[in-house]
Amino acid sequence: MTTIYDVAQRAGVSPATVSRALSGAKGVSEATRQKVLAAAKELHYSPNYIARSLKKRQTNTIALIISDITNPFFTTLARGVEDKASEHGFNTIFCNTDEDPKVEAAYVELMLRRQVDGLLISSCSDGESLRLLARKDVPVVLVDRRITHSRWDYVIGDSEYGAYALTRHLIEVHGKRRIAIISGPLVLSTSRERIEGYKRALREAGVVLSPEYIRVGAYKEEFGYQAMRELLAGSFSVEAVFAGNNVIAVGVIRAARELGVRVPEDLALVTFDDFDLLSALFPFLTAAKQPAYTIGAIAVEMLLERIRGEKIRERREVVLRPEIIIRKSCGCP
Amino acid sequence: MTTIYDVAQRAGVSPATVSRALSGAKGVSEATRQKVLAAAKELHYSPNYIARSLKKRQTNTIALIISDITNPFFTTLARGVEDKASEHGFNTIFCNTDEDPKVEAAYVELMLRRQVDGLLISSCSDGESLRLLARKDVPVVLVDRRITHSRWDYVIGDSEYGAYALTRHLIEVHGKRRIAIISGPLVLSTSRERIEGYKRALREAGVVLSPEYIRVGAYKEEFGYQAMRELLAGSFSVEAVFAGNNVIAVGVIRAARELGVRVPEDLALVTFDDFDLLSALFPFLTAAKQPAYTIGAIAVEMLLERIRGEKIRERREVVLRPEIIIRKSCGCP
DNA sequence: CTGAAAGCGCTTACAG
DNA sequence: CTGAAAGCGCTTACAG
């Protein structure tokens, strides 16, 4: 491996000068710079960023901790993160927690050891596994899910609004009353806020439902499936379902299909998060589509500001309104 | 930041001993180890992996260079990579090239500077942009796309077989003859091999077509769209289309829809790569589904073997057969 | 079993 | 403008 010393020798200058010339620092004469550049080229010199990172205490790397890159919402968010980060010379390490707080905590610990300059986190807990992070002063921006009692900036979609709009649509346009919600766990802000929005729409319409209509579990396909089966098996005569997110929606559809329940004829369905490609091919699901790419891109910008050490005292809270896309699954033509 | 020196002082031993105790090396007495562990804990010591990487000349990091994480095939492949890599204590840096060789070359260069221990690459060129890599002896495993004249291991799907099976299905089961292919660029092995498979099926069936039925372009939605429009506008009376990959298929469907051409009634469609979620919800597209997750996982294992320096002389060529999933878009009930 | 010392490949005050 | 020197935080022969 050729180092800065080899280049220095070849160019007949000191390593310090090579470093300056290569980094484009000013105090270097043009002649020297050319000599160094030529030597570096001849030797196919490639600087070692690990050494630089150690010295500068900056790695130009950020971590993105999410539940699953395979979830289209996170895929798009991740792309937004990668694009914006690399635009600024940062690379991104991706971590999938599969909604397991233990895995999340382990990844956070590992990323800290790797000296990432900052972290983007969609936490699968209410911050419990992030307690060790709170003690450090490494920059963090929360994405998709906020943690109320933390001081970190966040960029999220407006869950309350999306849920409200979706539920209200079912009530007003389609005259549904018996609307169930199949929600993620209450430790997550998205779940709580979507339930709030759902409740507000019902309240405004004067609909009173048994608590059984609210199913709280996990953002997992299997939970959507189970919950839907239970709802269909019970004597609730559910007319419509609000799936807490796209993964749950998949389970809901599977359950409905198995039981011969047709969507939307027998059961109206609305959901959070869109499936981009699917919707391009088969515009079917009525959904609250969050600006996933933008969430990722904005989060990176905010993180980089913190990394640069810009003095921003207050916690920044960015809440982006989802787009309500009316298609067929709710019963619209 | 607390370092190994702080821990050493606290434990009343030398930094060398701390290093040994923490790394679990053997030559350390149990008593000393406990003292060190206790001191490390009290001080919330977190080892700096950058320093370790510099010394050990190993970063435990690999790079995954693909065209677009947003493409479901690569999303799943990436998940396979991340799972397998982290299982072995490696982290993954993701790079999206958007099929631009310049971007690819820049990423490769950058990853080398970052001292990744190895690279997984789905190259968007025929290796041109990887020329500088060929000179180094950093481990590389090609995924999804092979480069014939290189010495690197690869893990890919069997494009020739998949294309053959798909085309043959159109001919034998549906009696189609006028089958067009909308293919990616010829610099990519996947394109060439899919065209080969397509041609073999036609040849065996004694079908002779004008070269106009073969459209070569890019793995881009826009190209699928344009090519489909041209095919439909011409006097080819195309009965069926083989879309070179999933992205092209999306463009094909958009074009057909715009022109009021129904799939499969007016036009049969088969494609490479499945859309996992979409297919779970709407089983419609007949496709050659490549084992994307497995491709990623196997590629990592092979890469790690190279990184460990295991002496494997020959180039390893893993070709995984895609599953032919017959659904409705080809005309099957 | 333990420690002193060198070194991984850079950057950057400090002098001149 | 240029160089000698120190140091980033580890690991690991080499001694003892």
Side-chain angles (χ1 to χ4, degrees):
Chain A
M1 166 175 261
T2 111
T3 73
I4 212 167
Y5 286 87
D6 304 315
V7 178
Q9 195 164 21
R10 177 76 155 230
V13 298
S14 75
T17 299
V18 174
S19 175
R20 294 197 189 95
L22 260 27
S23 75
K26 36 188 58 169
V28 182
S29 79
E30 193 49 32
T32 309
R33 185 184 307 282
Q34 292 309 330
K35 253 195 314 188
V36 171
L37 259 30
K41 189 159 198 174
E42 286 175 51
L43 298 174
H44 296 111
Y45 171 70
S46 174
N48 183 329
Y49 282 5
I50 296 295
R52 172 188 295 183
S53 292
L54 180 60
K55 181 65 191 175
K56 301 192 78 165
R57 300 153 158 283
Q58 163 146 3
T59 56
N60 276 46
T61 306
I62 62 176
L64 174 64
I65 299 181
I66 56 180
S67 63
D68 182 12
I69 186 82
T70 267
N71 174 328
F73 170 72
F74 287 118
T75 308
T76 304
L77 188 152
R79 181 69 213 248
V81 167
E82 217 278 292
D83 283 359
K84 185 57 77 177
S86 74
E87 187 183 300
H88 290 275
F90 279 71
N91 287 122
T92 310
I93 296 178
F94 290 68
C95 310
N96 299 111
T97 66
D98 285 320
E99 307 284 0
D100 183 339
K102 297 247 192 319
V103 174
E104 178 175 298
Y107 264 126
V108 167
E109 176 76 20
L110 180 57
M111 291 303 113
L112 255 21
R113 292 175 175 208
R114 283 185 176 275
Q115 314 294 123
V116 296
D117 296 330
L119 298 98
L120 256 23
I121 306 182
S122 172
S123 179
C124 59
S125 78
D126 61 344
E128 202 53 41
S129 52
L130 301 179
R131 193 149 291 179
L132 81 157
L133 243 193
R135 277 199 294 263
K136 319 259 175 183
D137 55 331
V138 56
V140 173
V141 172
L142 303 174
V143 289
D144 178 48
R145 301 167 183 178
R146 66 177 138 194
I147 296 173
T148 328
H149 54 282
S150 88
R151 58 180 159 71
W152 294 313
D153 296 335
Y154 58 74
V155 186
I156 62 175
D158 191 337
S159 284
E160 205 276 346
Y161 165 79
Y164 171 77
L166 248 20
T167 309
R168 185 177 160 138
H169 177 81
L170 289 172
I171 297 171
E172 299 218 325
V173 177
H174 300 287
K176 307 292 184 189
R177 314 279 293 180
R178 301 175 153 283
I179 304 170
I181 180 171
I182 302 182
S183 166
L186 293 181
V187 289
L188 302 185
S189 63
T190 50
S191 306
R192 294 194 301 271
E193 291 160 18
R194 285 167 203 179
I195 291 175
E196 281 316 309
Y198 157 85
K199 283 184 174 169
R200 175 157 69 97
L202 293 182
R203 201 184 317 122
E204 284 185 6
V207 178
V208 180
L209 288 174
S210 119
E212 304 259 26
Y213 282 82
I214 301 182
R215 300 280 162 162
V216 174
Y219 284 131
K220 303 267 185 186
E221 199 269 351
E222 186 57 26
F223 173 66
Y225 173 79
Q226 288 298 347
M228 191 68 245
R229 285 202 70 118
E230 286 176 31
L231 281 168
L232 254 18
S235 53
F236 305 111
S237 46
V238 171
E239 300 172 311
V241 166
F242 169 23
N245 82 344
N246 52 6
V247 176
I248 288 176
V250 175
V252 166
I253 290 178
R254 178 159 69 93
R257 189 170 294 157
E258 268 190 30
L259 297 175
V261 173
R262 293 166 305 165
V263 175
E265 293 85 347
D266 306 327
L267 182 77
L269 173 65
V270 298
T271 179
F272 232 87
D273 300 331
D274 199 20
F275 299 85
D276 296 345
L277 261 172
L278 183 149
S279 299
L281 292 175
F282 306 106
F284 177 73
L285 284 171
T286 290
K289 175 180 181 156
Q290 304 189 82
Y293 186 94
T294 306
I295 289 176
I298 291 180
V300 168
E301 281 183 338
M302 287 169 55
L303 188 65
L304 292 180
E305 286 167 14
R306 295 283 182 195
I307 289 173
R308 286 190 215 105
E310 298 180 13
K311 275 296 156 245
I312 304 141
R313 285 220 102 56
E314 74 286 5
R315 173 189 205 182
R316 291 173 296 174
E317 321 187 336
V318 178
V319 181
L320 269 20
R321 187 160 272 217
E323 181 187 359
I324 307 299
I325 305 184
I326 304 297
R327 288 191 284 241
K328 300 194 175 66
S329 69
C330 57
C332 278
Chain B
M1 168 176 262
T2 110
T3 75
I4 212 166
Y5 286 87
D6 304 314
V7 178
Q9 194 164 22
R10 178 78 157 226
V13 299
S14 76
T17 299
V18 174
S19 175
R20 294 196 191 97
L22 259 27
S23 75
K26 36 188 56 169
V28 182
S29 79
E30 192 50 31
T32 309
R33 187 187 304 283
Q34 291 308 330
K35 252 193 320 187
V36 170
L37 258 31
K41 189 159 196 175
E42 286 176 51
L43 298 174
H44 296 112
Y45 172 70
S46 173
N48 182 327
Y49 283 5
I50 295 295
R52 170 188 295 182
S53 292
L54 179 60
K55 180 64 192 176
K56 302 192 78 165
R57 301 153 159 282
Q58 164 147 3
T59 56
N60 276 47
T61 305
I62 62 175
L64 173 65
I65 299 181
I66 56 181
S67 63
D68 182 12
I69 187 83
T70 267
N71 175 329
F73 170 74
F74 287 118
T75 307
T76 305
L77 188 151
R79 183 66 213 248
V81 167
E82 217 277 292
D83 282 0
K84 184 58 79 181
S86 74
E87 188 183 299
H88 291 276
F90 279 71
N91 288 122
T92 310
I93 295 177
F94 291 68
C95 311
N96 299 304
T97 66
D98 285 321
E99 307 284 0
D100 183 338
K102 296 246 194 319
V103 174
E104 179 174 300
Y107 264 126
V108 167
E109 175 76 20
L110 180 57
M111 291 303 114
L112 256 21
R113 294 175 173 208
R114 282 185 177 276
Q115 314 294 120
V116 296
D117 296 328
L119 298 98
L120 257 25
I121 307 182
S122 172
S123 179
C124 60
S125 77
D126 61 344
E128 201 53 41
S129 51
L130 301 180
R131 191 148 292 179
L132 82 157
L133 243 193
R135 277 199 294 262
K136 319 260 173 181
D137 56 332
V138 57
V140 172
V141 171
L142 303 174
V143 289
D144 178 48
R145 302 168 183 178
R146 66 177 138 196
I147 296 173
T148 327
H149 54 280
S150 88
R151 57 181 160 71
W152 294 312
D153 296 335
Y154 58 74
V155 186
I156 63 175
D158 191 338
S159 283
E160 204 278 343
Y161 164 78
Y164 171 76
L166 247 19
T167 309
R168 186 178 158 137
H169 177 81
L170 288 171
I171 296 171
E172 298 218 324
V173 177
H174 299 286
K176 306 293 183 189
R177 314 280 294 178
R178 301 176 154 283
I179 304 169
I181 179 171
I182 301 182
S183 166
L186 293 180
V187 288
L188 302 185
S189 62
T190 50
S191 305
R192 294 194 301 270
E193 290 160 19
R194 285 168 202 178
I195 290 175
E196 280 317 309
Y198 157 85
K199 282 185 175 168
R200 176 156 68 96
L202 292 182
R203 201 184 318 122
E204 284 185 7
V207 177
V208 180
L209 287 175
S210 119
E212 304 258 26
Y213 281 80
I214 301 180
R215 300 282 162 160
V216 174
Y219 285 132
K220 303 267 184 187
E221 200 269 352
E222 186 58 26
F223 173 65
Y225 173 79
Q226 288 298 347
M228 191 69 245
R229 286 203 69 120
E230 285 176 31
L231 281 167
L232 255 18
S235 51
F236 305 111
S237 46
V238 172
E239 299 172 311
V241 166
F242 170 22
N245 82 345
N246 51 6
V247 176
I248 288 176
V250 174
V252 166
I253 291 178
R254 178 159 68 94
R257 189 169 295 157
E258 267 191 30
L259 297 175
V261 173
R262 291 166 309 164
V263 176
E265 293 84 347
D266 307 327
L267 182 77
L269 173 65
V270 297
T271 178
F272 231 87
D273 300 331
D274 199 22
F275 299 84
D276 297 344
L277 261 173
L278 184 148
S279 300
L281 293 175
F282 305 105
F284 177 73
L285 284 172
T286 291
K289 175 179 179 153
Q290 304 189 82
Y293 186 94
T294 307
I295 290 177
I298 291 181
V300 168
E301 281 183 338
M302 288 169 55
L303 187 64
L304 292 181
E305 286 166 16
R306 295 282 181 195
I307 289 173
R308 285 189 215 105
E310 296 179 15
K311 274 298 154 244
I312 304 141
R313 285 221 102 55
E314 75 286 5
R315 172 189 205 183
R316 291 172 298 174
E317 320 187 336
V318 178
V319 181
L320 268 20
R321 187 161 271 216
E323 181 188 359
I324 308 298
I325 304 183
I326 304 297
R327 288 191 284 242
K328 301 196 174 67
S329 69
C330 56
C332 279

